[in-house]
Amino acid sequence: MNETEDTLTEDSPVTRDNPVTQNTAQRILPVADGRQVKAYVREVLVTDRRELAIVVGLYAAATSAGLVAPRMLGDIVTGVQHHGTTAGSIEVLAAIIALSLVAASILTRYGALAGARFGESLLARLREDFVDRVLRLPLSVVERAGSGDLLSRSSRDVAALSQSARYALPATLTAALSVALTLGAVALDSPLLLVPCLIVVPPVWLASRWYLRRATAGYLRENAAWAEITESLAETTEGARTVEALRLGPARRRRADADLAGSYAAERYTLRLRSVFLPAAEASYVLPLAGTLAFGGYACLRGWCTVGQVTAGALYAAALVRPMDELIQWLNQLQTGNAALARLLGIGQVAADREPGGDRPRDEQLLADQVRHSYRPGRDVLRSVSLRVRPGERIAIVGPSGAGKSTLGRLLAGITAPAGGRVTVGGVELTRLPLEDLRGRIALVSQEHHIFRGTLRENLTLAALDAGDAEVLAALTAVEASGWAQALPGGLDCIVGSGGVALSSAQAQQVALARLILADPHTLILDEATSLLDPRSARRLERSLAAVLDGRTVVSIAHRLHVGHDADRVIVLEDGEIRESGPHRELVRAGGAYAALWESWHGAADAVSRH
Ligand code: ADP
């Protein structure tokens, strides 16, 4: 069991039935453990060891130069005590002190510069690494994890890590170096005076140990609680219309209150840790100075050391306060950074759902072979579905809601890997194809699509970067959208998406289809891709789309059965299984499930058109 888990149960204000712990337990995205974080930090520091050595070298030189002055002052005191000091010798010592201080300032400046450069490059690498990890996340995991956790990891955790990499790490290193070198200087001055300096070690060690055993878990909980707030806020904003329509306002507010209470409890816990640890640590700083003066005085009287040595020792003890204070403060920041890094590294631990191999599909034949899928253990949504889609064939998948049609569509598009069986194109499993290659072959348009903030042209050429205006306009014409698109202010240059011209859901669906035409894959999976248009426009769009897509393989999932009428083959899916399969006419003639569906749909459609 690692330290994080260990401390969760011990001395924790957050109980098992508190929302914070519960939500943490539900997290889809993992969090790295202490050992993994350490290994990663070590690896990163080793990679940057040259820069690190320069920072350490400069600070060591700066600190050493700063340590000359107390020693010289001690020598002056000794000289005065023994009446062996002349004005000339004091001037020489004063000049050495002045020079050492100037050297210390210059070296500190360059040390700080090198430290900042080191921190920035470290941060840049951590960020790039994080982006790589996020981009490798399987889509299904992103969907399950929800946006809040990922958003808070990529905003708050990255910010906390920035603080640590930019400031805390270089500052901690230099403060630790200062403490070590100052103690070294005390040892050179008088080894005996190390004793009062070292009495600070046990209390600081105990306080730090107490704190560190609890801090990472505390900060992890704090960040998880923050993710919860982000998640619920994002959900409320995205679903604002539903919230308003169903008068969910008070319920959402209660949820926000509960999230805030969870966050408050988590923040209070770390605040309590800090409020015990920091004063305890700070109180210990004065111990070396007080100890050196008291013990040094006694040692002087006993003739164990000179007044000059005690003077230098006391100055060194006083000089320990600042780096020790910094060390403690940054240690706290490092803990926050540590928790953030654990969450960011956790993203990389999600198992990839794709493993690109070197095999090339021999043709464009899409095949689902005894495919099984479930979202929850023991509840199969698809059961042994086998489907061979001939290149150029137009297939309609119909069936009642919840039958598993969308799931099959996602498996056929390679978005989700099946839990059992295989989905192949040209003999190669979809999950073994590099994503770029797969998307060039098979693409899916579902009801959910996104208009990115940018020009309409940019939104369309996402899928085909080098498409010219003529191609873009042709694609818009094919989806019956050229009329409204050209009427937009600025036409293709019109800024759409959040903050720009708001497109209606139907228009957004047309944009998604036009993107698909530009991407030009050989197989298209259309999952209710025209459902947001009114029936008449949808029918028109489907006809013009069919003309453009002639020769392409099209799998349409639809509840409007005219899609089945227009297709080469209809697949009826019920309860996760293929019940019927064949051309529209044959199935209607057979008088089975499809015939019944067609009868009721046709009757209803006729009734609608009569009114
Ligand atoms: P259809 O498209 O035919 O309506 P779906 O494939 O969307 O069917 O869903 C089939 C079943 O799987 C339904 O019971 C649905 O509740 C469930 N389901 C779909 N998506 C998810 C998901 N992401 N997590 C859990 N269950 C899901």
Side-chain angles (χ1 to χ4, degrees):
M1 187 184 271
N2 65 39
E3 204 167 293
T4 311
E5 285 166 346
D6 206 20
T7 43
L8 263 176
T9 49
E10 173 198 277
D11 191 22
S12 159
V14 191
T15 55
R16 286 271 165 245
D17 28 54
N18 181 300
V20 177
T21 335
Q22 269 185 6
N23 289 336
T24 312
Q26 286 165 6
R27 302 239 137 260
I28 304 290
L29 296 175
V31 171
D33 66 26
R35 205 168 33 81
Q36 290 159 329
V37 172
K38 270 188 208 133
Y40 182 80
V41 170
R42 203 172 310 126
E43 185 192 311
V44 165
L45 291 183
V46 166
T47 317
D48 271 349
R49 59 184 174 278
R50 217 177 71 85
E51 288 73 14
L52 186 63
I54 293 175
V55 177
V56 170
L58 281 168
Y59 268 107
T63 312
S64 307
L67 293 173
V68 170
R71 183 66 184 262
M72 295 295 115
L73 286 170
D75 286 355
I76 292 176
V77 171
T78 310
V80 170
Q81 193 189 9
H82 297 296
H83 310 292
T85 312
T86 59
S89 65
I90 289 192
E91 269 167 24
V92 171
L93 290 175
I96 294 177
I97 291 176
L99 275 178
S100 69
L101 291 181
V102 170
S105 321
I106 294 174
L107 287 166
T108 304
R109 181 203 179 268
Y110 285 102
L113 204 64
R117 206 175 298 134
F118 167 74
E120 289 299 329
S121 76
L122 184 65
L123 180 63
R125 222 140 36 76
L126 291 174
R127 275 186 196 273
E128 279 168 17
D129 201 18
F130 172 64
V131 170
D132 277 350
R133 282 164 193 265
V134 169
L135 292 180
R136 276 202 307 264
L137 271 183
L139 192 58
S140 52
V141 175
V142 175
E143 286 176 350
R144 267 190 302 141
S147 50
D149 197 7
L150 259 183
L151 273 181
S152 84
R153 288 189 197 215
S154 52
S155 54
R156 193 176 140 103
D157 289 339
V158 167
L161 191 63
S162 312
Q163 286 287 330
S164 292
R166 272 198 183 128
Y167 310 114
L169 194 61
T172 314
L173 282 176
T174 54
L177 202 64
S178 292
V179 170
L181 289 173
T182 309
L183 289 176
V186 174
L188 283 178
D189 176 49
S190 156
L192 202 61
L193 293 178
L194 267 184
V195 177
C197 285
L198 292 179
I199 54 173
V200 72
V201 173
V204 167
W205 187 75
L206 282 177
S208 306
R209 199 179 133 82
W210 177 86
Y211 173 74
L212 291 178
R213 283 181 71 103
R214 291 159 180 79
T216 306
Y219 285 118
L220 276 177
R221 260 195 316 259
E222 211 176 80
N223 295 2
W226 191 261
E228 213 54 49
I229 295 179
T230 317
E231 172 83 52
S232 109
L233 273 184
E235 215 173 61
T236 309
T237 324
E238 278 166 19
R241 285 193 190 159
T242 315
V243 169
E244 205 174 85
L246 299 179
R247 298 210 195 95
L248 295 178
R252 298 304 299 172
R253 211 169 299 131
R254 275 197 301 282
R255 160 97 197 257
D257 284 345
D259 289 341
L260 280 174
S263 173
Y264 176 75
E267 301 249 2
R268 246 187 96 94
Y269 177 65
T270 58
L271 183 65
R272 187 170 77 81
L273 293 184
R274 287 192 299 275
S275 65
V276 172
F277 170 58
L278 293 180
E282 277 173 25
S284 345
Y285 306 158
V286 290
L287 290 178
L289 182 55
T292 306
L293 288 174
F295 178 75
Y298 177 73
C300 260
L301 290 178
R302 301 299 298 256
W304 296 340
C305 60
T306 65
V307 178
Q309 280 174 316
V310 178
T311 310
L315 289 171
Y316 285 137
L320 274 177
V321 172
R322 203 178 52 87
M324 279 191 26
D325 191 32
E326 277 191 1
L327 207 56
I328 299 292
Q329 298 290 345
W330 287 122
L331 197 64
N332 189 41
Q333 175 66 46
L334 276 186
Q335 285 311 302
T336 335
N338 197 26
L341 186 57
R343 284 164 55 78
L344 296 180
L345 289 181
I347 292 177
Q349 293 176 352
V350 177
D353 63 346
R354 339 187 34 83
E355 262 182 83
D359 301 343
R360 309 266 320 149
R362 55 175 182 272
D363 55 30
E364 308 293 10
Q365 166 120 276
L366 188 60
L367 177 73
D369 185 16
Q370 302 200 341
V371 164
R372 191 178 66 68
H373 197 68
S374 64
Y375 294 98
R376 264 175 288 155
R379 264 210 71 216
D380 279 1
V381 171
L382 287 180
R383 290 180 285 188
S384 192
V385 170
S386 294
L387 178 64
R388 182 183 295 276
V389 186
R390 288 189 304 277
E393 193 178 16
R394 282 172 307 153
I395 290 190
I397 301 182
V398 302
S401 165
K405 303 185 295 292
S406 294
T407 307
L408 181 58
R410 291 165 66 87
L411 297 188
L412 289 176
I415 289 179
T416 316
R422 286 156 35 100
V423 184
T424 55
V425 61
V428 180
E429 272 190 74
L430 299 191
T431 47
R432 307 264 305 156
L433 279 177
L435 208 53
E436 283 291 296
D437 189 8
L438 176 63
R439 289 290 158 259
R441 293 168 188 274
I442 307 172
L444 172 118
V445 173
S446 68
Q447 282 161 300
E448 296 161 35
H449 24 68
H450 188 69
I451 297 291
F452 293 89
R453 189 187 151 73
T455 63
L456 179 61
R457 181 187 291 102
E458 283 163 350
N459 262 286
L460 289 160
T461 53
L462 282 177
L465 292 177
D466 43 6
D469 279 6
E471 284 165 84
V472 170
L473 285 173
L476 283 171
T477 309
V479 296
E480 304 273 323
S482 59
W484 63 255
Q486 280 169 336
L488 287 174
L492 289 178
D493 291 315
C494 179
I495 302 280
V496 293
S498 85
V501 171
L503 298 186
S504 70
S505 318
Q507 289 170 331
Q509 206 160 43
Q510 285 168 307
V511 169
L513 284 167
R515 258 182 215 149
L516 196 63
I517 292 174
L518 288 168
D520 198 26
H522 71 70
T523 300
L524 297 89
I525 318 279
L526 307 177
D527 183 0
E528 303 277 8
T530 57
S531 59
L532 299 172
L533 278 80
D534 65 79
R536 208 175 297 245
S537 316
R539 192 83 204 260
R540 226 179 28 237
L541 189 158
E542 275 151 17
R543 292 219 164 111
S544 69
L545 198 59
V548 177
L549 298 180
D550 194 29
R552 301 265 171 256
T553 313
V554 181
V555 177
S556 306
I557 297 166
H559 65 271
R560 291 183 186 138
L561 289 198
H562 63 73
V563 174
H565 177 268
D566 295 345
D568 298 326
R569 182 152 58 117
V570 178
I571 305 286
V572 181
L573 201 65
E574 260 180 30
D575 209 10
E577 283 174 332
I578 295 183
R579 282 286 142 79
E580 290 179 16
S581 161
H584 169 81
R585 275 168 197 280
E586 262 179 35
L587 292 188
V588 170
R589 220 177 301 131
Y594 180 73
L597 275 176
W598 174 255
E599 190 56 41
S600 66
W601 182 81
H602 208 249
D606 280 351
V608 170
S609 62
R610 271 198 303 275
H611 285 92

